[in-house]
Each structure stands twice: as C-alpha cells, then as structure tokens.
Amino acid sequence: MPSGKRGHFPVGTPVLEAARKLGVYVESVCGGRATCGRCQVSVQEGNFAKHKIVSANDHLSPIGPKEKRYAEVRDLPEGRRLSCSALIQGDLVIDVPQDTVINAQVVRKAADERIIARDPAVHMCYVEVEEPDMHKPLGDLDRLKAAIAADWKYDNLEVDFNLIPQVQSILRKGEWKVTAAIHRDQESERPRLIALYPGLKNEAYGIACDIGSTTIAMHLSSLLSGRTVASAGASNPQIRFGEDLMSRVSYVMMNPDGREAMTNAVREALNGLIDKVCADGGVSREDILNAVFVGNPIMHHLFLGIDPTELGGAPFALAVSGAVHLKSAEIGLPMNAGTRIYMLPCIAGHVGADAAAATLAEGPHRQDEMMLLVDIGTNAEIVLGNRQRVVAASSPTGPAFEGAEISSGQRAAPGAIERVRIDPVTLEPRYRVIGIEPWSDEPGFEEAAAKIGVTGICGSAIIEVVAEMFLSGMISEDGVVDGAMGARSPRILQNGRTYSYLLRDGEPRITVTQNDIRAIQLAKAALYAGVKLLMDKQGIHHVDRIGLAGAFGTFIDPKYAMVLGLIPDCSLEHVKAVGNAAGTGARMALLNRGHRREIEETVRKIEKIETALESKFQEHFVYAMAMPNKVDSFPELSKVVTLPERKQPSDDGGEGGGRRRRRSRE
C-alpha cells in the first residue's frame, strides 16, 4: 500500500525485491547494504478480509544485525523496517510511508478559478473601545461588546470562554483598538466572538477540504477576498487498511482498534496538509478561523470518529445525515482556538457530503436541462436531475478504475501509462506515461523511460486500452479477447484458455488480460446500471449534459468512457470533466453562508434511490456488461466513432464465419 499492488513470493524474499517485482517504487540508494535508510516500510497488522489474510509483524524476519546497526547510528522510527533486510515469512500488508516516496502518487485536485460571492460565516470587525473610567464601572469585555453592537450591529454577542481571560491584555496591547472575529453561520443564531486581535487585523483564512477515499484535497482561502491562497493534496493513508470502502468497514468490524486507527490516520494526514498549505501560503494556523469538510459517508464518519459499521449493510444507516457544526480543537485539528468546522449534509447511506458538495458546485437543481453528475471512485456517486426534480444513488464500482484489481494496474504516479492508442490495422500500441512528455513512438521516449521507468497502467489508460481493443476488433461486445487476432499480431498472447494483449514488453511486462477486462466490465456495468435506474425514475431515455467529477473523472477521455459504456449516450460537446467538484462545493460553502442553506434545502428534496433494493438493477447490470451496451443505442457517439459490428467469439476464442447463435453459457 498505497499502490494496491499484490503478489506471491517465496518465503525468504526480501521485501524490497518483492516491491520491485511488483513495480512498486521503493528507493534504495545504498544497494541493499542497510546504510541509506531510504527503503523503510511498515507492516499493517490485522485481519484483512478482502485479501483473505492476516498480516502481522512476526511474518517478517526478526530484526537482524544490519538493521540494528542502522537503528543505532541513524535512528529507525518505531514500527519501521528496512525492506532490503526484512525477509518475508508469511502473509503481509506492507505500507510504503509517503515521506519516503519520491515517485509518489500524483494527486491532481487543484482549485478551479470560479468567482464565489463572499458572505462567510466569520466576519472581521475592527472597533475602538471606550477606555475604562472609574465613573463607569462597566467591565472591559462588556465595553467591547457594546462597541461591536454599536459599530457592527451584532447584538446579544456570545463569547468563547477561552477568550475571556485574554480580553484585558489584548485591549491594552492594541491600545483599545482591536479586531474581533465574529462567527454566525445562520441569521437565526446568536453571533459569537471566536477570536480577538490587537489593532487592525485585515486578513482571515479558511480551509475547504474534500476527504476522498483515495486522495485528500485541501484549499486554503482568504475569507476576505475569496482568493485561493494555496492548495495541496495527498493520498488518504486509510488505503493501507483497505482499498475500497467496504474493506475499511470490514477492517473496523474485525479489528477492535480499527476505527480509532483509521480516524487517527486521516486526522494526521489532514494536519500535515494544513501545515503544507499554511507554509505554501505564508499563513499561520492561528489565522485559520473556519473550515469546511466533505467526504463520502464512510470518510465522513471516520473523520468524525464515528464507527461506520452500520453503513456496511442494509439499511445503511447514517449516524448523522444533517450538517455538522463543531470546533476544530474537538477533533484534533488545532488551528485557532475558536476555529469552527462545518460539514455539509450527507444525501444517503452511500451518497455523501462530497456528492452534496458536487451538486452545489454544478447545480443540476438550478437548471432546466437534465444533467447527470457522476463522481467515479471506488464507490460511484450519481446525481441526476434539473430544477423540477433531483434523484441520487450510489453504485459499487470497486477499485478497478484505480488499478487495484488490474494485473498491471497502479495508481496515477510517475511511470504509469495514462493514455493509449492502438492502430486498428497493425494492432500496435502507442502510449503516454506520467512524467514523460513524448509518446512512446516519439523521439526521446526511451531515454526518459530508462530514467523514470514504465511501471504499470493507471485508471484513465485502463479505460482507453479496453475501449481501443474493442474498437480495433480485439475483443467482442461481450468483452472476450479474440484469439484469432493472434494471426495478425504477436501482441495477442495465449494464457491457457484465454488471451491477453501485450501493451509493453519490458520489465515489468505490461499486459491486459481477460480477467482485467472482466474487472473493468463489472465496474462499468455497476455504474451504468445505477445511472439507468435514475433515468427510469426520471422517466427519460437520454440526458442533456454529463459532468464527470473527481480526480479520476477529470482525466478520463469522455469519448472512451462512452465507447466503454461507462456513461450513457450524450453529445460529446455536453460531456465535460468538472474537476474536483466536491472541493469546489466545499469552497462555495466556506465563502458563502447562503450556499450552506442552499445545499441543506436541496439535500432535503433529493430523492434517494437504493440500488440494492431495485428489481431492475440486475437487468440493467447484465445489459451493461456489453460494450457499450447490449440494448441501448448510442447515436451521438456513432457520429464521432465507428463502432464495430457486433460479433460473438467462436469456440476457440476466435471468430467464426458470420454471427453465431449465442451459447447458453455466454
């Protein structure tokens, strides 16, 4: 972890060697002599039901003399091992700490440039307070409150208790001129003094954060100007407990301290990101006065320290669905002592605050056209509607699109293939790799590849390569690799009774296997079936617009997503990547209280569809296994892409003459 690569190795294999055979980058400068310390790893202990293994520290060889010597001379953090010296003795889940990684996952969730009208929950109020007078026995705090009421019309002001002992010293330091930070989220609630500064303080900051199951994106914004001061992203460290949401719930159920471990892990990562955006923006943590967090329901619960077990099975009950208000210090995120946190409401048991934030950002409820909004992750969240009606659902796509269930799959990091094109005549591929500018058939590629390495294939390329194989005739509409195509290209390899496609011959060897294609079919069919259910509920046969949200949605090509049958037919001009829409929605809620009220009201009106309870889900799922779909037509797609004629594989995996009657087992 966190790359999600897995494999089998003989007992006694060094962890470093296993990592390299899997294409996982672990740095080792000293050549395995246990002197550089760059190859540190740690063991994640516990019962991992998804992998059907129990991982334990004693499944590694005991610490040997090399590691002991390094620990004495250089210091080895508790729980860390040197992977060049630690030998595999049993089943293990190995975490590669991100502070040791050079080729770390590329987290691509920058803030967009949209202008957001400002009406933040925190208001900075400069006042000049009347000095004490023996003839007027009013206390310093009361005179401060009177000045704020007179100048800013904040009557009946409440005060955070931690400020009361500081008021006198701050007033005197500022020579009776101070800036008060007043928090009021809703007009109906009493305003509250949460921070006080001597003199004029003409800046205050807030954080908007999207806690994704795979990546976390954070934006630091000025509450006064609305500008984004800094943005940062990181892998969610919870990946080491499980790649998808249900495996994390399973980990909590099977390990007594699992919930606490995951909560601590994500809060630690958030504290690191807060430090980073503050350093990048030249801002003190003390100057952050408001924060908005969004996430799917399981991330939402684990962030708050809530056991997510109830979300692991029907009726998928949320512990809390409405908006949450709290102080940052209450959940281990020290900023200013008065910093307030707002969490957007969750829509349903598996459609979370992140989907609510994306809905706020893209606004299907504000338009006449029927808009489909899809956030593709380990659990796809789907929203469909217009100003008349909005429906929502989730669909369990699993981690295949992120490379976790693909033989050569990996997360998006330098060395991962991200774009693929296949010549329909020769079946020769050309591809682009993250971190390498030229395509594979252009000058300079091999020299760059020798330095960075080509280590695997990430989600955007997985979609493209399967779609390209379909368009070139290598696989049938039902996803079977046509072995007869081996006569045209040596890249069609036989693997027992099935076939695979050789994308790159090197170390590691990168192929697309029949099992890989099946994993993609299962994932895309789950998503499409969920979309079709919502279309049924709306009584429509086509959508007007499609927004692809999230880091993954940003980097997939809409044309190939449609060829694959990941999304329904739509004019490609009206299909767009909307970026980190959840992060944008969080920024909107941070900078404008009105947006908080808007999404709270919208969520109350959204109709939630539970796919597991819908009888037609299975029928839609079966049809959606085909490419692009067994029954649905794609007239808009056909205007820009020539879809192959439907064909069925022959008994030997090749193509028979003409169309064959479908066998009962197909």
Side-chain angles (χ1 to χ4, degrees):
M1 297 297 185
S3 66
K5 294 292 190 82
R6 67 202 74 185
H8 294 84
F9 302 92
V11 169
T13 302
V15 173
L16 179 61
E17 181 182 331
R20 286 176 171 170
K21 286 184 177 178
L22 288 173
V24 176
Y25 186 87
V26 178
E27 188 176 13
S28 177
V29 175
C30 67
R33 296 182 180 85
T35 57
C36 72
R38 299 289 187 90
C39 68
Q40 296 176 26
V41 297
S42 60
V43 174
Q44 295 303 314
E45 294 195 285
N47 189 327
F48 292 81
K50 178 182 175 65
H51 310 311
K52 298 183 176 63
I53 67 168
V54 175
S55 174
N57 268 310
D58 58 10
H59 291 180
L60 278 180
S61 59
I63 294 177
K66 287 185 178 180
E67 284 181 282
K68 286 180 180 177
R69 186 178 67 248
Y70 177 85
E72 291 169 359
V73 175
R74 299 282 298 277
D75 184 38
L76 188 63
E78 186 177 353
R80 296 274 181 95
R81 296 292 302 272
L82 299 182
S83 61
C84 64
S85 298
L87 309 181
I88 296 170
Q89 302 293 328
D91 292 336
L92 290 161
V93 174
I94 295 289
D95 182 39
V96 182
Q98 292 300 289
D99 60 3
T100 69
V101 176
I102 303 301
N103 285 14
Q105 177 181 351
V106 179
V107 180
R108 302 187 274 197
K109 288 191 173 184
D112 70 5
E113 298 300 320
R114 89 171 57 188
I115 304 299
I116 301 169
R118 289 179 297 105
D119 182 19
V122 175
H123 191 191
M124 303 298 281
C125 304
Y126 174 77
V127 291
E128 297 184 3
V129 181
E130 186 178 347
E131 295 188 32
D133 187 327
M134 292 184 66
H135 301 289
K136 297 178 182 179
L138 206 59
D140 286 352
L141 176 59
D142 299 285
R143 279 181 286 102
L144 170 64
K145 292 166 71 173
I148 292 171
D151 292 355
W152 297 96
K153 310 307 179 190
Y154 282 121
D155 298 311
N156 202 21
L157 186 70
E158 293 186 305
V159 181
D160 274 3
F161 179 76
N162 67 284
L163 283 177
I164 294 176
Q166 305 175 49
V167 167
Q168 287 192 313
S169 61
I170 294 172
L171 284 171
R172 283 157 180 78
K173 185 176 180 181
E175 297 180 346
W176 308 101
K177 301 175 182 67
V178 293
T179 303
I182 309 296
H183 177 270
R184 182 158 70 176
D185 189 338
Q186 304 187 54
E187 290 299 324
S188 59
E189 67 186 30
R190 289 176 62 183
R192 175 174 285 273
L193 178 65
I194 63 170
L196 188 66
Y197 303 91
L200 174 64
K201 178 77 169 176
N202 60 2
E203 193 56 282
Y205 299 91
I207 278 174
C209 184
D210 171 23
I211 306 173
S213 55
T214 305
T215 55
I216 303 171
M218 181 178 289
H219 310 295
L220 176 68
S221 297
S222 164
L223 296 178
L224 278 68
S225 69
R227 68 188 176 94
T228 300
V229 178
S231 297
S235 297
N236 188 330
Q238 293 176 348
I239 289 172
R240 62 179 178 255
F241 301 101
E243 290 156 339
D244 56 60
L245 297 174
M246 286 300 102
S247 62
R248 293 183 204 177
V249 173
S250 174
Y251 186 87
V252 171
M253 295 170 67
M254 302 185 73
N255 296 276
D257 60 349
R259 196 282 306 156
E260 184 180 3
M262 277 194 268
T263 295
N264 290 340
V266 74
R267 290 180 183 175
E268 184 178 325
L270 289 169
N271 273 312
L273 281 178
I274 293 170
D275 285 338
K276 187 173 190 324
V277 292
C278 285
D280 291 348
V283 171
S284 166
R285 285 179 76 125
E286 283 284 318
D287 289 338
I288 299 172
L289 298 177
N290 205 198
V292 172
F293 289 89
V294 301
N296 63 56
I298 291 171
M299 295 302 96
H300 173 282
H301 279 34
L302 287 170
F303 169 64
L304 292 174
I306 300 171
D307 189 324
T309 301
E310 293 297 331
L311 293 170
F316 311 108
L318 289 156
V320 55
S321 57
V324 177
H325 305 259
L326 66 155
K327 294 179 71 171
S328 66
E330 293 173 339
I331 55 170
L333 297 180
M335 290 178 267
N336 190 288
T339 302
R340 276 2 189 227
I341 285 176
Y342 173 82
M343 292 196 74
L344 272 68
C346 290
I347 296 174
H350 283 294
V351 189
D354 54 348
T359 301
L360 175 62
E362 296 307 311
H365 58 290
R366 295 191 291 263
Q367 54 189 281
D368 295 321
E369 290 183 309
M370 188 62 69
M371 180 181 186
L372 173 67
L373 182 61
V374 184
D375 190 338
I376 308 168
T378 53
N379 187 66
E381 295 172 313
I382 315 163
V383 178
L384 175 68
N386 55 19
R387 67 174 74 252
Q388 270 72 48
R389 184 188 184 200
V390 180
V391 294
S394 67
S395 210
T397 53
F401 291 134
E402 294 170 346
E405 293 178 346
I406 307 302
S407 59
S408 296
Q410 69 167 86
R411 304 197 188 280
I417 295 173
E418 64 172 345
R419 293 276 176 258
V420 178
R421 301 291 181 267
I422 296 175
D423 187 299
V425 177
T426 66
L427 306 187
E428 284 297 301
R430 53 191 296 266
Y431 46 84
R432 190 168 185 178
V433 176
I434 296 175
I436 300 176
E437 189 63 29
W439 283 67
S440 60
D441 60 344
E442 294 176 348
F445 174 82
E446 290 300 337
E447 291 83 353
K451 297 177 182 176
I452 292 179
V454 181
T455 53
I457 181 169
C458 71
S460 59
I462 290 167
I463 286 179
E464 291 188 8
V465 72
V466 175
E468 283 275 304
M469 289 173 71
F470 172 61
L471 291 174
S472 63
M474 274 187 273
I475 56 178
S476 68
E477 69 164 349
D478 288 326
V480 177
V481 181
D482 183 358
M485 299 288 276
R488 285 175 51 188
S489 171
R491 290 185 177 274
I492 305 296
L493 308 175
Q494 186 164 5
N495 311 106
R497 298 180 61 185
T498 63
Y499 295 84
S500 60
Y501 176 70
L502 179 61
L503 183 58
R504 177 177 172 84
D505 195 2
E507 184 58 45
R509 203 175 198 217
I510 299 173
T511 61
V512 181
T513 70
Q514 184 66 69
N515 285 340
D516 295 339
I517 295 168
R518 282 285 179 259
I520 292 299
Q521 284 180 278
L522 290 167
K524 73 100 174 179
L527 174 55
Y528 193 92
V531 172
K532 284 290 290 183
L533 277 181
L534 296 190
M535 293 174 69
D536 291 346
K537 295 295 180 182
Q538 292 279 21
I540 61 173
H541 299 290
H542 74 278
V543 297
D544 299 313
R545 293 189 176 275
I546 300 176
L548 301 173
F552 182 62
T554 299
F555 290 93
I556 62 175
D557 187 313
K559 180 181 75 174
Y560 288 106
M562 208 174 287
V563 169
L564 194 66
L566 188 68
I567 53 177
D569 189 60
C570 182
S571 169
L572 285 173
E573 294 180 355
H574 296 151
V575 182
K576 67 171 185 173
V578 296
N580 182 20
T584 300
R587 285 178 56 235
M588 291 171 68
L590 173 70
L591 297 174
N592 192 307
R593 297 177 299 161
H595 289 313
R596 301 183 185 187
R597 308 293 86 78
E598 176 190 351
I599 195 58
E600 289 167 4
E601 181 182 354
T602 300
V603 165
R604 283 193 290 270
K605 294 179 180 178
I606 291 176
E607 298 174 44
K608 297 84 176 176
I609 310 301
E610 182 49 65
T611 56
L613 303 178
E614 296 291 331
S615 58
K616 289 202 72 175
F617 181 83
Q618 191 62 32
E619 178 184 331
H620 288 317
F621 181 87
V622 171
Y623 289 148
M625 283 290 288
M627 289 182 226
N629 192 279
K630 184 66 74 176
V631 295
D632 289 352
S633 60
F634 283 73
E636 293 293 336
L637 177 63
S638 297
K639 293 177 183 178
V640 294
V641 174
T642 302
L643 294 172
E645 289 188 21
R646 291 182 170 176
K647 61 181 182 178
Q648 300 296 329
S650 61
D651 290 334
D652 62 357
E655 289 299 318
R659 292 190 63 142
R660 300 177 60 87
R661 180 181 299 173
R662 294 186 73 200
R663 293 168 289 179
S664 60
R665 64 188 175 93
E666 290 184 328

PDB file of all heavy atoms in Angstrom, residues 100 108 164 181 234 254 334 338-339 357 396 431 583 637:
ATOM      1  N   THR A 100       8.794   8.673   2.486  1.00  0.00           N
ATOM      2  CA  THR A 100       9.994   8.074   1.893  1.00  0.00           C
ATOM      3  C   THR A 100       9.885   7.970   0.387  1.00  0.00           C
ATOM      4  O   THR A 100      10.821   7.552  -0.279  1.00  0.00           O
ATOM      5  CB  THR A 100      10.235   6.656   2.458  1.00  0.00           C
ATOM      6  OG1 THR A 100       9.195   5.775   1.979  1.00  0.00           O
ATOM      7  CG2 THR A 100      10.246   6.664   3.964  1.00  0.00           C
ATOM      8  N   ARG A 108      -4.147  15.058  -8.254  1.00  0.00           N
ATOM      9  CA  ARG A 108      -4.415  16.175  -9.151  1.00  0.00           C
ATOM     10  C   ARG A 108      -5.784  16.765  -8.839  1.00  0.00           C
ATOM     11  O   ARG A 108      -6.774  16.448  -9.481  1.00  0.00           O
ATOM     12  CB  ARG A 108      -4.322  15.689 -10.600  1.00  0.00           C
ATOM     13  CG  ARG A 108      -2.951  15.084 -10.890  1.00  0.00           C
ATOM     14  CD  ARG A 108      -2.744  14.737 -12.326  1.00  0.00           C
ATOM     15  NE  ARG A 108      -3.252  13.423 -12.668  1.00  0.00           N
ATOM     16  CZ  ARG A 108      -2.911  12.759 -13.766  1.00  0.00           C
ATOM     17  NH1 ARG A 108      -2.064  13.278 -14.619  1.00  0.00           N
ATOM     18  NH2 ARG A 108      -3.420  11.589 -14.030  1.00  0.00           N
ATOM     19  N   ILE A 164     -12.169  34.995  27.356  1.00  0.00           N
ATOM     20  CA  ILE A 164     -12.480  35.902  28.461  1.00  0.00           C
ATOM     21  C   ILE A 164     -11.240  36.281  29.276  1.00  0.00           C
ATOM     22  O   ILE A 164     -11.021  37.464  29.567  1.00  0.00           O
ATOM     23  CB  ILE A 164     -13.602  35.306  29.340  1.00  0.00           C
ATOM     24  CG1 ILE A 164     -14.902  35.246  28.522  1.00  0.00           C
ATOM     25  CG2 ILE A 164     -13.807  36.138  30.612  1.00  0.00           C
ATOM     26  CD1 ILE A 164     -16.062  34.590  29.244  1.00  0.00           C
ATOM     27  N   ALA A 181     -13.155  38.715  15.608  1.00  0.00           N
ATOM     28  CA  ALA A 181     -13.647  37.740  14.632  1.00  0.00           C
ATOM     29  C   ALA A 181     -14.982  37.220  15.146  1.00  0.00           C
ATOM     30  O   ALA A 181     -15.036  36.563  16.190  1.00  0.00           O
ATOM     31  CB  ALA A 181     -12.647  36.601  14.465  1.00  0.00           C
ATOM     32  N   ALA A 234      -2.942  14.839  -1.002  1.00  0.00           N
ATOM     33  CA  ALA A 234      -2.161  13.701  -0.508  1.00  0.00           C
ATOM     34  C   ALA A 234      -2.995  12.443  -0.640  1.00  0.00           C
ATOM     35  O   ALA A 234      -4.231  12.498  -0.707  1.00  0.00           O
ATOM     36  CB  ALA A 234      -1.766  13.912   0.957  1.00  0.00           C
ATOM     37  N   MET A 254     -13.465  -6.223  12.167  1.00  0.00           N
ATOM     38  CA  MET A 254     -12.625  -7.364  12.535  1.00  0.00           C
ATOM     39  C   MET A 254     -11.441  -6.993  13.422  1.00  0.00           C
ATOM     40  O   MET A 254     -10.737  -7.876  13.912  1.00  0.00           O
ATOM     41  CB  MET A 254     -12.131  -8.074  11.274  1.00  0.00           C
ATOM     42  CG  MET A 254     -13.256  -8.559  10.380  1.00  0.00           C
ATOM     43  SD  MET A 254     -12.710  -9.518   8.968  1.00  0.00           S
ATOM     44  CE  MET A 254     -12.245 -11.045   9.765  1.00  0.00           C
ATOM     45  N   PRO A 334      -5.813  21.253  15.609  1.00  0.00           N
ATOM     46  CA  PRO A 334      -5.551  22.547  16.250  1.00  0.00           C
ATOM     47  C   PRO A 334      -5.233  23.630  15.231  1.00  0.00           C
ATOM     48  O   PRO A 334      -4.319  23.499  14.424  1.00  0.00           O
ATOM     49  CB  PRO A 334      -4.340  22.255  17.149  1.00  0.00           C
ATOM     50  CG  PRO A 334      -3.661  21.081  16.498  1.00  0.00           C
ATOM     51  CD  PRO A 334      -4.752  20.274  15.884  1.00  0.00           C
ATOM     52  N   GLY A 338     -10.616  29.202  18.405  1.00  0.00           N
ATOM     53  CA  GLY A 338     -12.026  29.429  18.100  1.00  0.00           C
ATOM     54  C   GLY A 338     -12.476  28.909  16.751  1.00  0.00           C
ATOM     55  O   GLY A 338     -13.639  29.089  16.375  1.00  0.00           O
ATOM     56  N   THR A 339     -11.602  28.259  15.996  1.00  0.00           N
ATOM     57  CA  THR A 339     -11.931  27.811  14.643  1.00  0.00           C
ATOM     58  C   THR A 339     -13.143  26.896  14.635  1.00  0.00           C
ATOM     59  O   THR A 339     -13.220  25.921  15.384  1.00  0.00           O
ATOM     60  CB  THR A 339     -10.735  27.085  14.008  1.00  0.00           C
ATOM     61  OG1 THR A 339      -9.612  27.964  13.999  1.00  0.00           O
ATOM     62  CG2 THR A 339     -11.052  26.652  12.587  1.00  0.00           C
ATOM     63  N   ALA A 357     -21.698  18.376  -2.091  1.00  0.00           N
ATOM     64  CA  ALA A 357     -20.841  19.497  -2.480  1.00  0.00           C
ATOM     65  C   ALA A 357     -20.720  19.592  -3.999  1.00  0.00           C
ATOM     66  O   ALA A 357     -20.739  20.688  -4.569  1.00  0.00           O
ATOM     67  CB  ALA A 357     -19.460  19.351  -1.842  1.00  0.00           C
ATOM     68  N   PRO A 396     -21.591   0.407  -6.495  1.00  0.00           N
ATOM     69  CA  PRO A 396     -20.299  -0.137  -6.035  1.00  0.00           C
ATOM     70  C   PRO A 396     -19.392  -0.529  -7.192  1.00  0.00           C
ATOM     71  O   PRO A 396     -19.337  -1.681  -7.601  1.00  0.00           O
ATOM     72  CB  PRO A 396     -20.726  -1.364  -5.229  1.00  0.00           C
ATOM     73  CG  PRO A 396     -21.995  -1.827  -5.882  1.00  0.00           C
ATOM     74  CD  PRO A 396     -22.688  -0.587  -6.387  1.00  0.00           C
ATOM     75  N   TYR A 431       1.553   4.951 -26.486  1.00  0.00           N
ATOM     76  CA  TYR A 431       1.017   5.353 -25.190  1.00  0.00           C
ATOM     77  C   TYR A 431       1.828   6.495 -24.610  1.00  0.00           C
ATOM     78  O   TYR A 431       2.951   6.785 -25.037  1.00  0.00           O
ATOM     79  CB  TYR A 431       0.998   4.175 -24.210  1.00  0.00           C
ATOM     80  CG  TYR A 431       2.267   3.371 -24.173  1.00  0.00           C
ATOM     81  CD1 TYR A 431       3.348   3.760 -23.384  1.00  0.00           C
ATOM     82  CD2 TYR A 431       2.394   2.211 -24.937  1.00  0.00           C
ATOM     83  CE1 TYR A 431       4.512   3.035 -23.365  1.00  0.00           C
ATOM     84  CE2 TYR A 431       3.561   1.470 -24.923  1.00  0.00           C
ATOM     85  CZ  TYR A 431       4.615   1.885 -24.141  1.00  0.00           C
ATOM     86  OH  TYR A 431       5.777   1.162 -24.124  1.00  0.00           O
ATOM     87  N   GLY A 583     -14.588  19.575  -4.007  1.00  0.00           N
ATOM     88  CA  GLY A 583     -13.745  20.605  -3.411  1.00  0.00           C
ATOM     89  C   GLY A 583     -14.257  22.000  -3.725  1.00  0.00           C
ATOM     90  O   GLY A 583     -14.220  22.903  -2.872  1.00  0.00           O
ATOM     91  N   LEU A 637     -22.716   9.092 -29.992  1.00  0.00           N
ATOM     92  CA  LEU A 637     -21.361   8.541 -30.058  1.00  0.00           C
ATOM     93  C   LEU A 637     -21.043   8.085 -31.478  1.00  0.00           C
ATOM     94  O   LEU A 637     -19.916   8.269 -31.966  1.00  0.00           O
ATOM     95  CB  LEU A 637     -21.222   7.376 -29.076  1.00  0.00           C
ATOM     96  CG  LEU A 637     -19.883   6.643 -29.077  1.00  0.00           C
ATOM     97  CD1 LEU A 637     -18.748   7.566 -28.649  1.00  0.00           C
ATOM     98  CD2 LEU A 637     -19.937   5.418 -28.158  1.00  0.00           C
TER      99      LEU A 637
END
